[in-house]
């Protein structure tokens, strides 16, 4: 089955700097890769996603890149702000009939003012 | 209220007791999921359901039972709670999966003593 590895487990950056979180996946059939943000005491919330027919997607300060050959994808946050501090999860799923969303272990991002 | 709600938010139970965590969504989403969140493991899929009366195992199903007699409800039962089942449990739902956003509840923090 699918296995998703996520690095780093913790990341501390200065406000205004960029942050990059990387994930690798094992199942070449996976073709949907979402990123979720989890704030303290809340459930995860989707912030951006990418499908396998697209190499890069941007939404304001966040972007996701996908390399299907290498089976890895990354989240990029530019001009970080204190409110970006949270736990971020990558995930992967296959769009066949046995749909399952498998998550990475999470990255705790701290943006220092 | 529209959305996905979990109850209870907090639960303490004793080893060996049966406990049921409730999940209710108002969107009529086809897919529903149960995850557990543990430090160092991220979110691990316990069970998922593609529609009423259709359920399937995820990564860590042992010790858990689910049912889905109605589209909007997806209860998770721990038949005989163990301390290793102490965790935060998240329910999620998704419309027209695969490859679409999953919406998460606020979570249930379960402690087994």
């Amino acid at each position: 089955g699918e296995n998703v590895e996520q690095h780093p487990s913790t990341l501390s950056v200065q406000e205004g700097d960029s942050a990059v979180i990387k994930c690798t996946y094992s199942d070449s059939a996976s073709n949907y890769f979402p990123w979720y943000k989890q704030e303290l005491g809340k459930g995860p919330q989707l912030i951006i996603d990418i499908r396998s027919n697209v190499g890069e997607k941007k939404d304001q300060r966040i972007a996701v890149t996908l390399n299907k050959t290498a089976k890895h994808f990354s989240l990029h946050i530019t001009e970080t702000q204190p409110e970006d501090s949270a736990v971020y999860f990558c995930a992967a799923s296959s769009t066949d009939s046995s749909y399952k969303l498998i998550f990475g272990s999470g990255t705790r991002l701290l943006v220092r003012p | 209220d529209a959305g996905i709600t979990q109850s209870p938010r907090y639960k303490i139970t004793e080893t060996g007791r049966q406990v049921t965590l409730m999940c209710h969504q108002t969107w009529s989403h086809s897919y529903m999921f149960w995850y557990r969140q543990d430090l160092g493991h991220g979110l691990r899929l316990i069970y998922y359901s593609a529609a009423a009366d259709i359920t399937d195992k995820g990564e860590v199903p042992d010790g858990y039972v689910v049912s889905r007699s109605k589209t909007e409800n997806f209860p998770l039962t721990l038949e005989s709670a163990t301390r290793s089942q102490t965790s935060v449990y998240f329910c999620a739902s998704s419309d027209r999966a695969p490859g679409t956003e999953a919406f998460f509840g606020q979570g249930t923090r379960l402690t087994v003593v």
Side-chain angles (χ1 to χ4, degrees):
Chain A
E2 176 68 279
N3 182 52
V4 178
E5 294 191 357
Q6 182 172 348
H7 300 281
S9 57
T10 59
L11 180 60
S12 180
V13 299
Q14 194 70 38
E15 181 177 359
D17 288 350
S18 296
V20 180
I21 303 170
K22 298 181 179 181
C23 289
T24 60
Y25 62 98
S26 61
D27 188 350
S28 57
S30 291
N31 51 12
Y32 176 63
F33 308 94
W35 286 88
Y36 283 79
K37 176 182 180 182
Q38 185 180 26
E39 297 177 336
L40 195 62
K42 297 183 178 181
Q45 187 171 12
L46 180 73
I47 55 172
I48 194 167
D49 58 15
I50 191 168
R51 291 171 174 77
S52 61
N53 58 340
V54 177
E56 183 176 4
K57 183 177 178 180
K58 290 183 179 180
D59 183 4
Q60 299 182 346
R61 295 187 297 108
I62 60 173
V64 56
T65 58
L66 171 65
N67 184 329
K68 282 224 74 179
T69 303
K71 290 192 283 188
H72 66 69
F73 56 113
S74 301
L75 177 71
H76 304 254
I77 305 174
T78 59
E79 302 174 16
T80 54
Q81 301 168 2
E83 52 264 39
D84 294 329
S85 295
V87 179
Y88 291 81
F89 292 98
C90 63
S93 79
S94 169
T95 56
D96 62 13
S97 59
S98 61
Y99 169 71
K100 296 178 186 177
L101 191 59
I102 304 299
F103 284 82
S105 55
T107 297
R108 183 173 298 278
L109 174 64
L110 174 64
V111 181
R112 305 186 305 274
Chain B
D1 291 336
I4 183 165
T5 55
Q6 294 183 234
S7 61
R9 289 293 312 276
Y10 304 92
K11 176 74 176 178
I12 299 174
T13 191
E14 295 178 340
T15 301
R17 288 192 178 268
Q18 181 180 82
V19 60
T20 296
L21 310 183
M22 304 302 294
C23 179
H24 175 78
Q25 53 105 352
T26 60
W27 296 301
S28 298
H29 284 171
S30 297
Y31 285 79
M32 296 189 74
F33 312 86
W34 274 106
Y35 290 88
R36 59 177 291 173
Q37 184 174 32
D38 305 288
L39 194 62
H41 291 280
L43 293 158
R44 291 183 292 176
L45 182 65
I46 304 171
Y47 268 96
Y48 67 105
S49 169
D53 297 322
I54 301 175
T55 62
D56 205 352
K57 297 178 180 179
E59 300 171 89
V60 289
D62 293 344
Y64 303 96
V65 174
V66 294
S67 63
R68 193 154 177 221
S69 57
K70 294 183 178 181
T71 300
E72 60 267 30
N73 296 325
F74 191 39
L76 175 74
T77 298
L78 287 67
E79 295 185 295
S80 178
T82 65
R83 290 182 181 173
S84 64
Q85 292 177 310
T86 292
S87 185
V88 180
Y89 290 85
F90 286 98
C91 178
S93 71
S94 180
D95 182 35
R96 298 184 296 108
T100 58
E101 180 176 2
F103 295 87
F104 283 80
Q106 293 282 69
T108 295
R109 182 176 294 277
L110 176 68
T111 302
V112 182
V113 298

